[in-house]
Amino acid sequence: MQESTVTGTILLVRPMKLPCKREVTLENQEFADIIDGNLEIVKLKKRKVAFILDYDREVLRLPLNRDVFTKDLEEKHEIYGPFIVVGLDDDLNYTGLTEQQLR
């Protein structure tokens, strides 16, 4: 994945707070600064989004943020600490989130 100076809209999701939209430079260093941690990037190709989490969230014992369920409700994933949701293009490069993705 190539770093860029392209900007776009992301969702920043912090524990115990409503998600907020931010216009940022779409690059890993910017994301690391926002979540104040080492990055773990989970790409969901079908949804064309990526979740960017703090890699050390369990070691640091970050607070529970959200429970995320798969579409069929068979799997539950607990997400700890702040995380970012960013869009992906067909080549899996970062893009800003569309209005539909933001909803």
Side-chain angles (χ1 to χ4, degrees):
M1 181 171 12
Q2 184 176 333
E3 296 287 325
S4 71
T5 56
V6 175
T7 62
T9 304
I10 64 162
L11 258 183
L12 173 59
V13 187
R14 292 188 176 118
M16 305 297 291
K17 295 190 179 192
L18 291 173
C20 63
K21 295 189 305 186
R22 289 179 84 178
E23 188 76 18
V24 301
T25 303
L26 300 173
E27 58 184 28
N28 285 334
Q29 185 57 53
E30 179 86 6
F31 300 148
D33 292 344
I34 291 169
I35 66 168
D36 193 28
N38 297 314
L39 302 183
E40 179 178 343
I41 302 166
V42 179
K43 295 181 179 181
L44 304 175
K45 295 175 188 177
K46 288 183 181 180
R47 297 242 183 232
K48 292 191 176 185
V49 297
F51 288 89
I52 300 176
L53 316 155
D54 187 332
Y55 180 80
D56 300 315
R57 63 194 176 277
E58 291 177 19
V59 173
L60 296 172
R61 303 181 104 177
L62 295 176
L64 178 65
N65 189 333
R66 301 284 193 278
D67 288 329
V68 178
F69 294 88
T70 58
K71 190 174 183 177
D72 57 11
L73 300 177
E74 288 188 15
E75 291 183 47
K76 172 184 162 186
H77 302 278
E78 294 176 336
I79 299 178
Y80 292 87
F83 68 94
I84 293 168
V85 183
V86 64
L88 296 172
D89 65 16
D90 291 333
D91 296 323
L92 302 181
N93 296 311
Y94 297 135
T95 66
L97 293 169
T98 65
E99 285 301 317
Q100 182 179 5
Q101 289 169 322
L102 286 167
R103 280 180 273 181

